[in-house]
Amino acid sequence: MTSRLRVTVWGENVHERENPIVREIYPDGMHATIAEGIAEQGDFDVRTATLHDAEHGLTEETLENTDVLLWWGHAAHGKVSDKVVERVLTRVWQGMGFIALHSSHYSKPFMRLMGTSCSVTWREAGEKERLWVCNPAHPISSGIDRYFEIENTEMYGEPFAIPTPDEIVFISWFEGGDVFRSGCTWKRGNGKIFYFRPGHEVYPIYYHPTVRLVLRNAVRWAAPDPEKWIDACPQIPADKAPEPLTIKGPRIHKEGEAGFR
Amino acid sequence: MTSRLRVTVWGENVHERENPIVREIYPDGMHATIAEGIAEQGDFDVRTATLHDAEHGLTEETLENTDVLLWWGHAAHGKVSDKVVERVLTRVWQGMGFIALHSSHYSKPFMRLMGTSCSVTWREAGEKERLWVCNPAHPISSGIDRYFEIENTEMYGEPFAIPTPDEIVFISWFEGGDVFRSGCTWKRGNGKIFYFRPGHEVYPIYYHPTVRLVLRNAVRWAAPDPEKWIDACPQIPADKAPEPLTIKGPRIHKEGEAGFR
Amino acid sequence: MTSRLRVTVWGENVHERENPIVREIYPDGMHATIAEGIAEQGDFDVRTATLHDAEHGLTEETLENTDVLLWWGHAAHGKVSDKVVERVLTRVWQGMGFIALHSSHYSKPFMRLMGTSCSVTWREAGEKERLWVCNPAHPISSGIDRYFEIENTEMYGEPFAIPTPDEIVFISWFEGGDVFRSGCTWKRGNGKIFYFRPGHEVYPIYYHPTVRLVLRNAVRWAAPDPEKWIDACPQIPADKAPEPLTIKGPRIHKEGEAGFR
Amino acid sequence: MTSRLRVTVWGENVHERENPIVREIYPDGMHATIAEGIAEQGDFDVRTATLHDAEHGLTEETLENTDVLLWWGHAAHGKVSDKVVERVLTRVWQGMGFIALHSSHYSKPFMRLMGTSCSVTWREAGEKERLWVCNPAHPISSGIDRYFEIENTEMYGEPFAIPTPDEIVFISWFEGGDVFRSGCTWKRGNGKIFYFRPGHEVYPIYYHPTVRLVLRNAVRWAAPDPEKWIDACPQIPADKAPEPLTIKGPRIHKEGEAGFR
């Protein structure tokens, strides 16, 4: 880990190209605005990547040099290559941080990390959202008082079909009467994962100063530990067992054979 | 849920056909012996299915009528159809119990439910394993004293790359000096999941009376709750919001539109 | 475990004696109304106990014959005897269900089971509360649609200073703009624990049919497993070790000595 | 938080005064050796405190200036003042790290943080222990290969009556045939908690270089987040609610009143 965190913001970049409302708000793409919000304070080296780049911009080399990956997708989840998804998972298990934004609850990497359907209920009415802090001393909510508000947003409501989070940082109250677990953490392998709800494409949510603060906090929180967990499934030969062993009975596997998968 | 639990034992049935040692121990296939061990006591309706059956024997109808699915695979994980895997996941999220046996730590459905690499270390030396009970009152360890032993088995050792289990029921001690979290529970959606380590193919482990007792206990523990969680991602129209709402700002989604995935 | 669940409802019974508003709503005490709500459907044997009974009505014998204990306290948490609290904890660890109601977030047994400060924010304005179901197939929310409402209630808001729940069954939306994790589960020892928020003393909340439904569902969910986890800290003499051992080095403890505590 | 971590090692200091075997190994007390092992590398300011000091050496001021507290107790758990225990809990909830060593599984602060009986099984035979790393990239196991060994130690065995840990860092294998969850993490409030098993008083375990490495790693891991979670149970007056509210129905609490406890 370098002292400057290396951040990659992945954006699907579909709505921005196809929908003039979205393009007007995010003329350079949502990924660019998210990246700008992270880079504006602190020691971050931020790059972006999109669906349309070769290998979606997530080559082995890029991921190897990424400490924290943020992911925004919505209309084209199904177009993301499974090979790239496997690559992302491998890096998360090694320790790379992963931050799933808004509609990325249905993205392939998030669903694969969760192992659940990740469904929500939703309503698009430009209503008010108030995000309550559930742990006022958590690094991800640092600098926020008891809550913060987003004036106009899409609603996501419970049930949110996720495994029990390790910690809930934010729960949302919606003007229309719903609630949602809007900021949740998990660990998979040695990778820290954060889901953050705000971010609908037709509102300028990634310009909101508190949303940007949360993104920066979350990137710092999700930074990798100094060591990597390199996945392996080693056969330990009988003569290398910590305790002396006499081999008994039949065997199928040869010494030095790789694990089945 | 009927009063008799409907159990499906899925077996890969590859070693039994290809390896004479395994065939001698399990002449009708490991799945048959596992099924027999469950059916021998208690109110279970047990059927079997294998890789070689049409749709691997796991049709929509079979899964719809399965309360608890047990899974044994090893040499052919990669040959299991992704479509069938998705079907299994859907049923688990609805509430079907899922019990992964031994080398099924690397099976597609288990890996998909965990979201981790599920790796282990291993050694095939026919050594002794002692499984310690970590909660003496847990339904899965019911009827077992402080521990039970398997005289000859393959070793699996830590690190076991799984998400933190909800509960650890068994931890194994191995003659060669290793340890392993051998009985672990999780919940995904409304489905209860149990991983149980014993079961290597070249030893007659599924004839072991305590292993069979654990399987029966685990099936009862993993039985579905009375209601199913049917996955949905409903749009809640603004005029159906629990609190009166005035629609503000632009919208992208039409009323009644399905969620992206 | 008998086939009829044996339920004890513990009520502090202070407000009902001192405050005419509360007495008018709950002339026989809140505990009596809670007990009535549980007994009105299903196979429950329900008794009540209060602060003013000898040993608060929670003798060894009563607890020994209780499958699930419900607890309502508010004004007199500090008057509950530590000896009785220890007795309750011991039974929970053995497997007795424990359901903490409303202001019992600050009761001694709940705080001792949680190990946290259990603080909330609060407001008494008779506002509306809407409880959202987070897992529509959970046994505790069985029979409830997407949410239910309580017309007038005290508000409890986040942060709720609890350890991460095993599962969140309900999250509340409040008219005044707050949210709260209103239905949460944990396991301590082999005992199942449920916290349920509704129940302020100046509103007739324990007459609410859905609140009563949740109480009955929760009692069934919290029912003990067939076996008890009897706490022990046994010394295993060296000659009773599963593997043969030669004693090495100095020893402080005598054979057969009890563990320090 | 200063850049140098402020560490307090609390030792009961009873065996060292009463038992010549222990005094010979730890002539200045176990707390002194533990403190020395932490201070020998890295930026730590380490002080010690014992049962016999005024307020057990854990005054408000000392705890206020402690980032991580380590605790070793055994023979005199019952002599620790409840007032000091409450003080420790309060600081843990604010964010102070807490590391419970060996027989401190039965110490008052650890038991209060866990909410369980914390029992183990045990045997004093000077047998060998091998601690396996369950997450090779975890900061607490940093610098350790697959396992490390302690040649002579007391045995602790499962069941260990704890709430499910957030993460298991070490599981022990014992020569006599037992296993134990020897390195476990939890969070209570904003405080990080680590239990570490090694440390019996009649063996020179706190001179073991890997045990010392784990202690230093654990202190760094348990360091407080920059912000403190100051516990409060504030009444939010109706006219300060985020959404406009009309007060309805009767009220018991006066504006500005403190929460009951």
Side-chain angles (χ1 to χ4, degrees):
Chain A
M1 195 175 64
T2 61
S3 60
R4 290 178 69 83
L5 284 172
R6 300 163 304 173
V7 180
T8 302
V9 177
W10 191 88
E12 180 185 273
N13 200 24
V14 169
H15 292 304
E16 301 91 318
R17 285 148 64 125
E18 299 180 355
N19 187 314
I21 299 171
V22 182
R23 191 164 49 235
E24 194 178 329
I25 304 174
Y26 296 109
D28 300 320
M30 302 180 76
H31 51 282
T33 304
I34 293 167
E36 176 195 274
I38 293 167
E40 72 182 356
Q41 284 185 33
D43 278 352
F44 304 109
D45 287 331
V46 188
R47 84 187 96 187
T48 61
T50 75
L51 181 67
H52 317 288
D53 298 330
E55 304 185 49
H56 311 325
L58 299 174
T59 60
E60 289 279 3
E61 198 199 331
T62 296
L63 286 175
E64 186 60 36
N65 290 289
T66 296
D67 292 317
V68 181
L69 176 64
L70 294 96
W71 193 279
W72 197 102
H74 184 221
H77 293 318
K79 292 189 180 147
V80 174
S81 136
D82 286 329
K83 197 175 155 191
V84 168
V85 171
E86 295 287 343
R87 204 181 275 166
V88 168
L89 298 184
T90 297
R91 278 290 291 139
V92 171
W93 299 336
Q94 288 178 1
M96 182 184 74
F98 183 80
I99 299 175
L101 298 171
H102 190 61
S103 41
S104 305
H105 69 96
Y106 262 176
S107 68
K108 284 186 180 181
F110 185 70
M111 292 187 69
R112 285 290 300 279
L113 289 165
M114 295 294 105
T116 55
S117 73
C118 298
S119 297
V120 304
T121 68
W122 57 286
R123 178 175 56 233
E124 203 185 16
E127 69 199 270
K128 179 159 71 176
E129 174 179 15
R130 179 179 301 107
L131 292 100
W132 287 90
V133 172
C134 295
N135 172 345
H138 197 284
I140 296 179
S141 60
S142 182
I144 303 172
D145 195 27
R146 299 180 57 227
Y147 59 80
F148 73 99
E149 296 179 348
I150 296 173
E151 205 47 40
N152 299 104
T153 192
E154 185 187 27
M155 181 282 289
Y156 281 4
E158 294 285 340
F160 186 15
I162 45 173
T164 295
D166 292 349
E167 198 155 2
I168 297 178
V169 183
F170 300 110
I171 296 178
S172 288
W173 178 101
F174 287 95
E175 187 183 352
D178 296 68
V179 295
F180 196 73
R181 287 171 285 177
S182 284
C184 299
T185 70
W186 298 265
K187 196 172 178 186
R188 291 290 179 267
N190 211 44
K192 302 179 196 88
I193 300 165
F194 182 57
Y195 173 80
F196 189 47
R197 200 208 80 81
H200 194 48
E201 60 274 14
V202 300
Y203 308 105
I205 287 169
Y206 292 118
Y207 296 97
H208 189 299
T210 311
V211 168
R212 288 177 165 213
L213 172 63
V214 171
L215 293 179
R216 290 191 300 268
N217 286 345
V219 165
R220 276 192 208 95
W221 171 86
D225 292 317
E227 297 190 19
K228 272 189 204 175
W229 187 348
I230 301 297
D231 189 52
C233 190
Q235 185 190 26
I236 310 299
D239 60 2
K240 295 276 172 53
E243 299 291 320
L245 266 187
T246 308
I247 295 178
K248 287 161 277 184
R251 296 198 292 167
I252 282 188
H253 303 285
K254 299 192 188 100
E255 293 288 316
E257 187 182 18
F260 282 96
R261 185 160 157 183
Chain B
M1 195 176 64
T2 62
S3 60
R4 290 179 69 83
L5 284 172
R6 301 163 304 172
V7 180
T8 301
V9 177
W10 191 88
E12 180 186 272
N13 200 24
V14 170
H15 293 302
E16 302 92 317
R17 285 150 60 127
E18 300 181 354
N19 186 314
I21 299 170
V22 182
R23 189 162 51 235
E24 193 179 328
I25 304 173
Y26 296 110
D28 300 321
M30 300 179 75
H31 51 281
T33 304
I34 294 167
E36 177 195 275
I38 294 167
E40 70 182 359
Q41 283 185 36
D43 279 352
F44 304 108
D45 286 331
V46 188
R47 84 186 95 188
T48 61
T50 75
L51 181 68
H52 317 288
D53 298 330
E55 304 185 48
H56 311 326
L58 299 174
T59 61
E60 288 280 2
E61 198 198 332
T62 297
L63 286 175
E64 186 60 36
N65 290 290
T66 295
D67 293 317
V68 180
L69 175 65
L70 294 96
W71 194 279
W72 198 101
H74 183 221
H77 293 318
K79 292 189 179 147
V80 174
S81 135
D82 286 330
K83 196 174 157 191
V84 169
V85 171
E86 294 286 343
R87 206 181 273 165
V88 168
L89 298 184
T90 297
R91 278 291 291 139
V92 171
W93 299 335
Q94 288 177 1
M96 181 183 74
F98 182 80
I99 299 175
L101 297 171
H102 189 60
S103 41
S104 305
H105 69 97
Y106 262 177
S107 68
K108 284 187 181 180
F110 185 68
M111 291 187 69
R112 285 291 301 277
L113 289 164
M114 295 294 105
T116 55
S117 72
C118 298
S119 297
V120 304
T121 68
W122 57 287
R123 177 175 56 233
E124 203 184 16
E127 69 199 90
K128 179 160 73 175
E129 173 180 16
R130 179 179 300 109
L131 293 100
W132 286 91
V133 172
C134 296
N135 172 346
H138 197 284
I140 296 180
S141 59
S142 182
I144 302 172
D145 195 26
R146 300 180 58 227
Y147 61 80
F148 73 100
E149 295 179 347
I150 296 174
E151 205 48 38
N152 298 105
T153 191
E154 184 188 28
M155 181 281 291
Y156 281 4
E158 294 285 340
F160 187 14
I162 46 173
T164 294
D166 292 350
E167 199 155 3
I168 297 179
V169 183
F170 301 110
I171 294 178
S172 288
W173 178 101
F174 287 95
E175 187 183 351
D178 296 69
V179 296
F180 196 72
R181 287 171 285 176
S182 285
C184 299
T185 72
W186 298 265
K187 197 173 178 187
R188 291 290 178 267
N190 211 43
K192 301 179 196 87
I193 299 164
F194 182 56
Y195 173 80
F196 188 47
R197 199 207 81 81
H200 193 47
E201 61 273 14
V202 300
Y203 308 106
I205 288 169
Y206 291 118
Y207 295 96
H208 189 299
T210 311
V211 167
R212 289 177 164 213
L213 172 62
V214 172
L215 294 178
R216 290 190 300 269
N217 286 344
V219 165
R220 278 192 206 93
W221 171 85
D225 292 317
E227 298 188 19
K228 270 188 206 174
W229 187 348
I230 301 297
D231 189 53
C233 189
Q235 185 189 28
I236 310 299
D239 60 3
K240 295 277 171 53
E243 299 291 320
L245 266 187
T246 308
I247 294 178
K248 288 161 278 186
R251 295 198 294 166
I252 282 189
H253 303 285
K254 301 192 186 100
E255 293 288 317
E257 187 182 18
F260 283 97
R261 185 162 157 181
Chain C
M1 194 176 63
T2 61
S3 60
R4 290 178 68 85
L5 284 172
R6 300 162 303 171
V7 180
T8 301
V9 176
W10 191 87
E12 177 185 277
N13 199 24
V14 169
H15 293 303
E16 302 91 318
R17 287 150 60 128
E18 298 180 356
N19 185 312
I21 299 170
V22 182
R23 190 162 50 235
E24 195 178 328
I25 303 173
Y26 296 110
D28 300 320
M30 301 179 75
H31 51 283
T33 304
I34 294 166
E36 178 195 273
I38 294 167
E40 71 184 356
Q41 283 185 34
D43 277 353
F44 304 108
D45 287 332
V46 188
R47 84 187 94 188
T48 61
T50 75
L51 180 68
H52 318 288
D53 298 330
E55 305 184 46
H56 311 324
L58 299 175
T59 60
E60 290 278 3
E61 198 198 332
T62 296
L63 286 175
E64 187 59 36
N65 291 289
T66 296
D67 292 318
V68 181
L69 176 64
L70 294 96
W71 194 280
W72 197 102
H74 184 220
H77 293 318
K79 291 188 180 148
V80 174
S81 135
D82 286 329
K83 197 174 154 191
V84 169
V85 171
E86 294 287 344
R87 206 181 273 164
V88 168
L89 298 185
T90 297
R91 277 291 291 138
V92 171
W93 299 335
Q94 288 178 2
M96 181 183 76
F98 183 78
I99 299 174
L101 298 170
H102 190 61
S103 42
S104 304
H105 68 96
Y106 262 177
S107 68
K108 284 186 181 181
F110 185 69
M111 292 187 69
R112 285 291 300 278
L113 289 164
M114 295 294 105
T116 55
S117 72
C118 297
S119 297
V120 304
T121 68
W122 57 286
R123 176 174 60 232
E124 202 184 17
E127 68 199 271
K128 180 159 70 175
E129 174 180 15
R130 179 179 299 107
L131 293 101
W132 287 91
V133 172
C134 296
N135 172 345
H138 197 283
I140 296 179
S141 60
S142 181
I144 303 173
D145 196 25
R146 298 181 58 227
Y147 60 79
F148 73 99
E149 295 180 349
I150 296 173
E151 205 46 41
N152 299 104
T153 192
E154 184 187 28
M155 182 283 289
Y156 280 4
E158 294 285 341
F160 186 15
I162 45 173
T164 295
D166 292 349
E167 200 156 1
I168 297 179
V169 183
F170 301 110
I171 295 178
S172 288
W173 177 101
F174 287 95
E175 186 182 352
D178 296 68
V179 295
F180 196 72
R181 286 170 286 178
S182 284
C184 299
T185 71
W186 298 266
K187 196 172 178 187
R188 290 292 178 266
N190 211 44
K192 300 179 197 89
I193 300 165
F194 181 57
Y195 173 80
F196 189 47
R197 199 209 79 82
H200 194 49
E201 62 274 15
V202 299
Y203 308 105
I205 287 169
Y206 292 118
Y207 295 97
H208 189 300
T210 311
V211 168
R212 288 177 165 212
L213 172 62
V214 171
L215 293 178
R216 291 191 299 270
N217 286 345
V219 165
R220 277 193 207 93
W221 171 85
D225 293 316
E227 297 189 20
K228 271 188 206 174
W229 187 349
I230 300 297
D231 188 53
C233 190
Q235 186 190 27
I236 310 299
D239 60 3
K240 295 276 172 50
E243 299 292 321
L245 266 186
T246 307
I247 295 178
K248 286 161 279 185
R251 296 198 293 167
I252 282 190
H253 303 286
K254 300 191 188 100
E255 294 288 316
E257 188 182 15
F260 282 98
R261 184 163 158 180
Chain D
M1 193 176 64
T2 61
S3 59
R4 289 178 70 83
L5 283 171
R6 299 164 304 172
V7 180
T8 301
V9 176
W10 190 88
E12 180 185 275
N13 200 23
V14 168
H15 293 303
E16 301 92 318
R17 287 151 60 128
E18 299 180 356
N19 186 313
I21 299 170
V22 182
R23 189 163 49 235
E24 193 179 329
I25 303 173
Y26 297 109
D28 299 321
M30 301 179 74
H31 50 282
T33 304
I34 294 167
E36 177 195 273
I38 294 167
E40 68 183 358
Q41 284 185 33
D43 278 352
F44 304 109
D45 287 331
V46 188
R47 82 185 97 187
T48 61
T50 75
L51 181 67
H52 317 289
D53 298 331
E55 304 184 49
H56 310 326
L58 300 174
T59 60
E60 289 279 2
E61 197 198 332
T62 296
L63 286 175
E64 186 59 37
N65 290 290
T66 296
D67 293 317
V68 181
L69 175 64
L70 293 95
W71 193 279
W72 197 101
H74 183 220
H77 294 318
K79 292 188 180 146
V80 174
S81 137
D82 286 330
K83 197 174 156 192
V84 169
V85 171
E86 294 287 344
R87 206 181 272 165
V88 168
L89 299 184
T90 298
R91 278 290 291 138
V92 171
W93 299 336
Q94 288 177 1
M96 181 183 74
F98 183 80
I99 298 175
L101 297 171
H102 190 61
S103 42
S104 304
H105 70 95
Y106 262 177
S107 68
K108 284 187 180 181
F110 185 70
M111 292 187 69
R112 286 290 300 278
L113 289 164
M114 295 295 105
T116 55
S117 72
C118 298
S119 297
V120 303
T121 68
W122 57 285
R123 176 175 58 234
E124 202 185 18
E127 68 199 91
K128 179 160 70 176
E129 174 179 15
R130 179 179 300 109
L131 293 101
W132 287 91
V133 172
C134 295
N135 173 345
H138 197 284
I140 296 179
S141 60
S142 181
I144 302 172
D145 194 28
R146 299 180 59 226
Y147 60 80
F148 73 99
E149 295 179 348
I150 295 173
E151 204 48 39
N152 299 105
T153 191
E154 185 188 26
M155 182 281 291
Y156 281 5
E158 295 284 340
F160 186 15
I162 45 173
T164 294
D166 292 350
E167 198 156 3
I168 297 179
V169 183
F170 301 110
I171 295 178
S172 288
W173 178 100
F174 287 96
E175 186 183 352
D178 296 68
V179 296
F180 196 72
R181 287 171 284 177
S182 284
C184 299
T185 71
W186 299 265
K187 197 173 178 187
R188 291 290 178 268
N190 211 43
K192 301 180 195 88
I193 299 165
F194 181 57
Y195 173 80
F196 188 48
R197 199 208 81 81
H200 193 48
E201 61 274 15
V202 300
Y203 308 105
I205 287 169
Y206 291 119
Y207 296 95
H208 189 300
T210 311
V211 168
R212 289 178 164 210
L213 172 63
V214 171
L215 294 178
R216 291 190 300 269
N217 286 345
V219 165
R220 279 192 206 93
W221 171 85
D225 292 317
E227 297 189 20
K228 270 188 205 177
W229 187 347
I230 301 297
D231 189 53
C233 191
Q235 186 189 27
I236 310 298
D239 60 3
K240 295 277 171 51
E243 299 291 320
L245 267 187
T246 308
I247 294 177
K248 288 161 278 187
R251 296 198 294 167
I252 282 190
H253 302 285
K254 300 193 188 98
E255 293 287 318
E257 187 181 18
F260 283 97
R261 181 160 162 185

